[in-house]
Amino acid sequence: MTRAFVFPGQGAQTIGMGHDLADAYPTARAVFEAVDDALGEKLSTLIWEGEIEDLTLTRNAQPALMATSMAAMAALQAEGVEIGAASYVAGHSLGEYSALCAAGALSLADTARLLRLRGEAMQDAVPAGQGAMAAILGLDFDTVTEIAAEAARGEVVEAANDNDPAQVVISGHKAAVERAADLAKERGAKRALMLPVSAPFHCALMQPAADAMARALADVDMQSPVVPLVGNVIARAESSADTIRQNLVDQVTGRVRWRESVAWMSDQGVTEIFEIGAGKALSGMVKRIDRAMETQAVGTPEDVAKAATAING
């Protein structure tokens, strides 16, 4: 069996995530403590006892989801599963940072600080209320791209996340996104849902955030990952630290090519995907991309035990 470890992005956050891992595994608790130290605040208290509105703020959600993924990885390692059990790692948007941390390319502290900065920069790139995102369900990527071009009318609206064969997220100026959503429904979309996000991620409006990440990533120590990263913007494996660094900058304004990434891994012989961290959103996408792919979410001690048994045999 060839397997990949994948790491979730924004939207998977829940109050209490990772708490049972921290209770069951001292190494998982140490991950949350290290992230708290790196940020100089008790993010773990917000994750476990806070309000969902505060956790969902981009500046909090990004490092929080990474911490939960790394806690799950620490629990797996405690059960004898190392990152080398996977042939590839990948992550959805911020999950790409989690994947790089898991694969030894970035330290945990640097990853936490980068994601706090990334969250703040993405939030600040567009004034509140001027941007929006919408999920278009039931139309393929090419159709949604055509609709976005038609709806733009001099504004920005782009396909931001190509998630699976029937789910594409669009992003841009609020009015343009609303026009595209209406057009999509006219063209036969099953649903066009405005998303409760604070900024229009993964589109040209994020250029100020991309500039901020270019400066931050230039100053951070990055190693080549011990397991190749299947990158969001290239939808294939990459192991060069310098190339990955540039891809992370491009990712801020670029499309998350998740459907193509999973298809690429399938073409390389990947048959099992383990979703490390909060939620099961990526597992659902994977099954819609390739029904033959086996998926397993790893976010609780019970999940860890099941995954360890499956991997260790």
Side-chain angles (χ1 to χ4, degrees):
M1 290 281 189
T2 301
R3 65 182 68 91
F5 290 169
V6 304
F7 298 82
Q10 213 158 325
Q13 66 273 1
T14 58
I15 295 297
M17 63 183 183
H19 195 277
D20 50 359
L21 290 170
D23 284 345
Y25 295 94
T27 51
R29 181 170 293 276
V31 167
F32 287 104
E33 292 171 350
V35 170
D36 287 350
D37 288 345
L39 298 179
E41 65 182 68
K42 284 284 189 180
L43 184 65
S44 58
T45 301
L46 171 60
I47 297 170
W48 297 336
E49 303 171 18
E51 299 295 328
I52 189 63
E53 293 81 8
D54 294 328
L55 181 59
T56 298
L57 291 173
T58 304
R59 70 185 303 273
N60 295 325
Q62 295 201 20
L65 285 161
M66 182 277 298
T68 304
S69 287
M70 291 305 97
M73 274 303 309
L76 282 171
Q77 289 166 338
E79 298 293 349
V81 177
E82 296 297 334
I83 190 68
S87 297
Y88 302 100
V89 294
H92 193 283
S93 192
L94 82 91
E96 196 156 83
Y97 286 80
S98 305
L100 287 167
C101 185
L106 291 168
S107 72
L108 179 61
D110 281 342
T111 308
R113 288 189 286 262
L114 283 169
L115 285 174
R116 167 55 58 81
L117 173 65
R118 183 177 183 269
E120 291 176 343
M122 293 173 84
Q123 179 67 62
D124 294 343
V126 178
Q130 291 190 15
M133 300 180 77
I136 310 301
L137 308 181
L139 297 178
D140 64 23
F141 172 76
D142 289 340
T143 303
V144 173
T145 300
E146 291 170 7
I147 288 169
E150 185 176 336
R153 300 181 194 171
E155 292 187 308
V156 171
V157 56
E158 302 170 9
N161 300 347
D162 181 10
N163 284 336
D164 66 43
Q167 184 191 118
V168 181
V169 175
I170 56 175
S171 180
H173 287 112
K174 186 172 186 287
V177 170
E178 290 171 342
R179 287 194 297 270
D182 289 340
L183 269 177
K185 286 184 274 194
E186 290 174 16
R187 302 283 172 84
K190 291 179 182 177
R191 298 177 80 185
L193 305 171
M194 300 300 290
L195 298 179
V197 296
S198 53
F201 307 135
H202 298 292
C203 75
L205 298 179
M206 288 288 108
Q207 188 58 51
D211 295 341
M213 291 312 297
R215 292 189 293 271
L217 286 161
D219 290 335
V220 79
D221 179 37
M222 184 182 293
Q223 306 297 316
S224 295
V226 296
V227 174
L229 172 79
V230 180
N232 284 182
V233 298
I234 58 173
R236 63 177 187 276
E238 180 57 66
S239 293
S240 162
D242 287 342
T243 302
I244 290 169
R245 195 188 305 264
Q246 183 58 51
N247 289 345
L248 288 174
V249 176
D250 295 343
Q251 185 223 56
V252 179
T253 56
R255 184 173 74 252
V256 176
R257 297 168 61 187
W258 190 252
R259 174 180 58 85
E260 294 173 88
S261 295
V262 173
W264 186 90
M265 288 188 280
S266 179
D267 288 344
Q268 308 313 304
V270 172
T271 56
E272 292 182 305
I273 285 188
F274 291 81
E275 181 174 3
I276 314 295
K280 300 178 180 179
L282 298 185
S283 296
M285 293 176 196
V286 167
K287 294 300 281 188
R288 290 188 290 273
I289 295 164
D290 185 345
R291 291 182 183 177
M293 196 87 78
E294 294 295 323
T295 62
Q296 185 175 328
V298 185
T300 67
E302 294 76 20
D303 294 339
V304 170
K306 182 179 175 185
T309 299
I311 293 167
N312 293 330

